[in-house]
């Protein structure tokens, strides 16, 4: 199986290569096979990417918003037409099953392009009357934005960052995770085909060092990172040195609270989606499932029965419901967390080990019950198919325990009592919440975290604030009244 791109990078409207850069092997996680070999961007290529973005951005910002919108909408149409091929490539890059990549990854990227195309012409300023004089405001582009992506939703992340950036007149230089570098190159090709002028969306490959070079360059106005909290701290600090704008979409350890009166089937289904989709490699997952004691046994019975039926297998097989983890590194990390959970006394309900399938990085969907707040499994982000079920008695107790974490990305509540649903969500410290649903992230809704889980928001109208800045213009309509 091969998925070798034309070249490693995409700069100024064309593929670019410099074999002096360190090699990056792209591995198909279902078999361990090398499917492509790329090179990290050298400093000269990073410079070219930023220079071409800076050149192109000025004219783009001066382009009518409806024209920018038309190009983004065309890109969305091309993505939808090619979705089967793009989904297959996403599956090779990430190991996620076609059942997911066909409906979630590129389709949600196309949604973002369409949504921000729609918003582009609606971005307007204000007029502020001051008697004789007045002030008007303009919402202007920031300039060159850098996007740095995680490996779990590589193409969605590239679209979620580039769509608002481009819609509002910015250019973007995007660095995918070196683990999943292929999708962003496809997006760059599609943008050119849709009519985007060269330089406005450049892709440079590399590890953290390339990301750091981008985040500290004086030509860069904004850095948007999706990644872990430790990386977020580093990138935030690097951006701060240049007083750059940031959006930080970081990790989580989100609570999903199930009250006694909830529908067991719905709550179990949501907990499974919020722990096993993408083999658990989703930042907003509800990995601390708090179940009220009265419903606990029924919840665990149905959870065990339904989890046992999850079909692991070849991600390219339409029937497969769960694929491997993204890499050998991630496999080791997740198996380590499972071993720690066992040694700390969590009760294994199902799963609990590696799944022997080819030589891929598969882990069985795993559920632990009787998890307590102090256990490592309840405190650290695992990023694998490992669910922790905790018990609780009262509403006040569960709210305080749910909030007892450095993270604040997401939270969910299942209850038939809607008053309670709103009351509880109102007290949870999290940026993205659900009542009687979990992990649905339509582009219309702002997405992001509080506390250590991040700053800024992606998607929704909120993104306008994060990819534009206000210019305030005072207009004097009479003589200047100077005292000297
Ligand atoms: P990492 O934090 O390891 O990496 C994120 C990106 O940052 C990668 O492209 C990485 O490059 C790059 N990077 C690493 N060091 C630096 C640096 N010093 N300066 C600039 N860039 C750097 O995250 P993962 O890729 O492992 O992704 C998993 C994490 O992402 C999880 O914590 C998850 O919760 C979070 N995430 C958050 C989401 C959200 O929206 N809140 C959504 C999805 C994931 P490379 O890896 O190539 O070295």
């Amino acid at each position: 199986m091969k998925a070798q791109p034309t070249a490693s990078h995409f700069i100024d409207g064309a593929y670019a290569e410099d074999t002096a850069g360190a090699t990056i092997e792209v591995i198909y996680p279902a078999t361990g096979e090398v499917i492509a070999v790329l090179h990290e961007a050298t400093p000269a290529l990073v410079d070219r990417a930023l220079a071409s973005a800076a050149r192109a951005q000025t004219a783009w910002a001066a382009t009518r918003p409806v024209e920018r919108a038309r190009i983004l909408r065309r890109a969305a149409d091309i993505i939808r037409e090619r979705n089967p091929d793009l989904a297959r490539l996403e599956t090779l890059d990430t190991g996620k099953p076609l059942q997911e990549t066909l409906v979630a990854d590129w389709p949600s990227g196309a949604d973002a392009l369409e949504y921000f195309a729609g918003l582009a012409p609606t971005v307007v300023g204000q007029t502020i009357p001051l008697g004789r004089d007045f002030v008007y405001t303009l919402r202007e582009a920031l300039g060159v934005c850098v996007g740095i992506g995680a490996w779990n939703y590589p193409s969605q992340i590239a679209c979620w960052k580039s769509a608002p950036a481009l819609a509002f007149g910015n250019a973007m230089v995007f660095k995918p995770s070196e683990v999943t570098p292929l999708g962003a190159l496809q997006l760059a090709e599609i943008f050119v085909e849709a009519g985007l002028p060269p330089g406005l969306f450049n892709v440079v490959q590399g590890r953290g060092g390339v990301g750091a070079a981008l985040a500290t360059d004086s030509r860069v106005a904004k850095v948007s990172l999706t990644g872990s909290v430790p990386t977020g701290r580093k990138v935030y600090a690097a951006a701060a040195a240049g007083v750059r704008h940031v959006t930080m979409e970081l990790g989580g350890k989100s609570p999903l609270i199930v009250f006694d009166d909830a529908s067991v089937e719905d709550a179990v289904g949501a907990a499974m989606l919020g722990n096993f989709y993408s083999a658990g490699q989703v930042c907003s997952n509800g990995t601390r499932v708090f179940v009220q004691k009265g419903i606990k046994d029924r919840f665990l019975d149905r959870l065990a029965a339904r989890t046992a039926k999850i079909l692991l297998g070849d991600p390219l097989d339409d029937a497969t419901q769960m694929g491997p983890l993204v890499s050998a590194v991630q496999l080791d990390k997740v198996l380590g967390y499972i071993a720690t959970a066992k040694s700390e006394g969590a009760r294994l309900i199902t799963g609990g080990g590696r799944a022997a399938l080819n030589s891929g990085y598969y882990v069985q969907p795993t559920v632990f019950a009787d998890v307590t707040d102090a256990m490592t499994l309840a405190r650290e982000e695992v990023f694998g198919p490992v669910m922790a079920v905790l018990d609780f008695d009262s509403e006040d107790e569960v709210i305080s325990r749910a909030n007892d974490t450095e993270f604040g990305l997401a939270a969910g509540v299942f209850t038939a009592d809607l008053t309670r649903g709103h009351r509880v969500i109102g007290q949870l410290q999290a940026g993205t919440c659900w009542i009687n649903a979990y992990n649905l992230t339509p582009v219309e809704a702002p997405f992001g975290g509080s506390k250590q889980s991040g700053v800024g928001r992606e998607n929704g109208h909120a993104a306008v604030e994060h990819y534009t800045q206000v210019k305030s213009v005072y207009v004097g309509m009479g003589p200047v009244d100077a005292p000297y």
Side-chain angles (χ1 to χ4, degrees), residues 249-261:
E249 295 289 353
L250 310 177
K253 190 77 207 174
S254 303
L256 169 55
I257 301 172
V258 182
F259 284 97
D260 277 349
D261 61 354

Side-chain angles (χ1 to χ4, degrees), residues 148-152 157 175-179 206-208 211-212 225-229 231 234-235 249-252 283 381 383 409 447 453 458:
I148 302 177
W151 43 255
N152 60 338
I157 291 170
K175 189 202 84 68
S177 164
E178 122 259 355
V179 180
R207 300 180 173 82
L225 169 83
T226 298
S228 60
V229 172
T231 303
K234 281 190 233 164
V235 176
E249 295 289 353
L250 310 177
C283 52
E381 187 181 44
F383 236 56
L409 184 54
F447 180 83
S453 292
E458 292 194 309

